[in-house]
Amino acid sequence: MLIGLCGGICSSKHAIAEYLIQHQGFQLLELKSRSFPRIADAPEDDRWLQASEFTNSERNQSSQLLFESPESLLNFATKRWQGLWVTTDIWEETTLDRFLQRPFFLLVSVDAPVSLRWKRFTERCRARHLEPPPLEKFVLWNDRHLYDKNIGRAYLTDRAQVRLFDSSSSVEELHAALKALNLADEERLRPNWDQYFMQLASLAAQRSNCMKRRVGCVLVRERRVISTGYNGTPRHLKNCNEGGCPRCNRGEGGGVGLSTCLCLHAEENALLEAGRERIREGAILYCDTCPCLTCTVKIAQVGISEVVYSQGYNMDQESAEILEAAGVRLRQFSPPRNGLIYLESTKKCEQ
């Protein structure tokens, strides 16, 4: 695994790299030349500019894994992809494109409140016996650092598979949050079968035209997709979001007027598409929302062996009882947390 860390000035990317090195067995991969692009109207004092980044000597005194170019760094990691590597030396879009082609690479962006990052930067300047900049000047420089048309880093952070937001007040708090998160979970790189099929179900949900709720479903047997479905009005009828289902467009509460609803549920569409002869024993139904009672009895009738869902529904208990009675296994799937994640310590979350 190779984790690439990117983010704004003093966002904690180097602190996270140090945590991975010290506590999870990662090794740091660095470029010998750290002459990153100069930002327009940046401070003239090079020492002040360098305060935004750690120097090689500060980051890891014992590191000997230095490379002449991003290509040589990537080639090294490719030949040793089963190891644990981390780098903060990705600045260009073309370089990022090559890294993202590797199945062992995970791009993680790091951000923090601008006031907190300015405080960290101020402390770093004072440690170098430099006069820190006022907050206004830091904000202007930070904006150029992220959003400059030619060299802004936002194109990196926008493509990150995991986006961390670090508002921790201490190193101990940051470490506790990172330990709970476990960035090194390999399922972030290559989803397991549950995660894969659930993502397909979520993708199917994006085709839904139901005004009440988007739901997607995938039917699987022997790890092969039999059919997919999403909720909405039947074929040849006006789409629900175009007024095709009066009940959904009236905005009535959940469970009200179901007998007048014209929308087929995602599970129903998937079952109709597959047909009973293709389902057979051993078929698994993946749905991003727990099936309702109506769909549950149909699932039991066609011989589905297992139902996997990610989000709850207001009839979960009733559906669970029916499936249990029918001998159908029901379980909820919780994938590794990706997307935007607030780094908070376990103690803080429990309060």
Side-chain angles (χ1 to χ4, degrees):
M1 171 183 265
L2 170 60
I3 293 180
L5 294 166
C6 64
I9 303 166
C10 291
S11 59
S12 290
K13 53 186 178 292
H14 299 109
I16 292 173
E18 286 299 319
Y19 169 83
L20 293 173
I21 293 166
Q22 295 173 9
H23 299 278
Q24 294 199 338
F26 280 72
Q27 288 183 270
L28 185 66
L29 306 183
E30 301 177 285
L31 296 180
K32 289 183 179 179
S33 174
R34 309 203 68 250
S35 56
F36 34 83
R38 186 85 180 205
I39 301 170
D41 299 326
E44 293 299 325
D45 191 333
D46 282 340
R47 294 179 305 160
W48 199 80
L49 180 67
Q50 291 170 5
S52 66
E53 299 281 344
F54 286 123
T55 64
N56 286 340
S57 59
E58 290 174 316
R59 289 160 69 189
N60 193 337
Q61 295 285 348
S62 61
S63 176
Q64 299 297 320
L65 300 175
L66 302 177
F67 301 89
E68 297 289 346
S69 67
E71 290 75 17
S72 59
L73 186 155
L74 182 58
N75 289 337
F76 175 88
T78 300
K79 295 176 181 177
R80 300 161 180 82
W81 63 273
Q82 292 179 313
L84 296 175
W85 316 104
V86 61
T87 184
T88 61
D89 290 350
I90 301 176
W91 305 313
E92 299 175 345
E93 188 170 15
T94 53
T95 298
L96 176 62
D97 288 338
R98 293 198 60 191
F99 276 64
L100 287 173
Q101 292 174 355
R102 299 297 198 268
F104 56 83
F105 177 70
L106 180 72
L107 181 64
V108 178
S109 70
V110 190
D111 201 0
V114 66
S115 58
L116 179 58
R117 292 194 285 115
W118 173 65
K119 180 181 177 182
R120 294 170 181 167
F121 186 74
T122 297
E123 293 171 353
R124 200 175 296 175
C125 284
R126 286 174 176 157
R128 290 172 166 77
H129 307 291
L130 299 172
E131 184 65 27
L135 176 59
E136 182 180 3
K137 194 168 186 178
F138 177 83
V139 169
L140 291 173
W141 185 33
N142 173 75
D143 285 347
R144 295 189 184 101
H145 180 270
L146 289 176
Y147 305 114
D148 184 281
K149 182 179 179 181
N150 298 315
I151 58 174
R153 307 291 178 82
Y155 63 78
L156 294 177
T157 58
D158 286 349
R159 299 179 68 183
Q161 296 107 307
V162 181
R163 294 177 292 135
L164 306 180
F165 189 81
D166 174 28
S167 58
S168 55
S169 57
S170 67
V171 173
E172 291 76 19
E173 188 175 295
L174 173 62
H175 285 189
L178 290 171
K179 181 179 179 180
L181 178 62
N182 187 19
L183 275 177
D185 188 340
E186 291 188 357
E187 289 185 10
R188 300 182 192 281
L189 297 174
R190 186 171 187 252
N192 62 23
W193 289 110
D194 276 352
Q195 190 174 354
Y196 173 68
F197 291 125
M198 197 62 75
Q199 287 176 351
L200 292 181
S202 296
L203 180 61
Q206 299 306 304
R207 284 289 301 166
S208 169
N209 61 66
C210 180
M211 290 294 291
K212 295 290 291 183
R213 179 196 295 263
R214 284 180 165 179
V215 182
C217 177
V218 174
L219 266 176
V220 176
R221 190 180 68 247
E222 297 177 352
R223 295 179 177 174
R224 296 292 183 269
V225 174
I226 303 172
S227 66
T228 64
Y230 53 85
N231 56 330
T233 47
R235 64 176 63 188
H236 306 309
L237 270 66
K238 185 184 294 185
N239 284 341
C240 181
N241 61 349
E242 297 171 340
C245 178
R247 182 259 176 183
C248 289
N249 281 270
R250 284 195 298 267
E252 296 177 340
V256 178
L258 291 177
S259 62
T260 64
C261 183
L262 300 182
C263 287
L264 286 167
H265 290 191
E267 301 94 320
E268 292 176 309
N269 272 323
L271 294 173
L272 288 168
E273 179 68 24
R276 183 166 183 171
E277 69 279 359
R278 296 178 59 201
I279 295 174
R280 301 200 302 272
E281 185 179 352
I284 302 174
L285 184 145
Y286 288 88
C287 193
D288 59 1
T289 304
C290 188
C292 69
L293 284 176
T294 302
C295 290
T296 297
V297 295
K298 295 174 182 176
I299 290 168
Q301 177 67 11
V302 298
I304 298 291
S305 298
E306 184 176 17
V307 173
V308 185
Y309 71 98
S310 58
Q311 302 175 44
Y313 192 52
N314 56 10
M315 292 182 244
D316 287 9
Q317 186 57 42
E318 293 91 337
S319 297
E321 290 173 357
I322 291 174
L323 292 174
E324 182 180 7
V328 180
R329 183 186 180 195
L330 174 69
R331 61 185 172 90
Q332 186 170 14
F333 171 67
S334 299
R337 293 168 62 199
N338 281 355
L340 179 61
I341 301 171
Y342 285 77
L343 291 179
E344 298 178 320
S345 68
T346 304
K347 291 182 180 180
K348 193 172 182 180
C349 293
E350 292 174 349
Q351 292 175 352

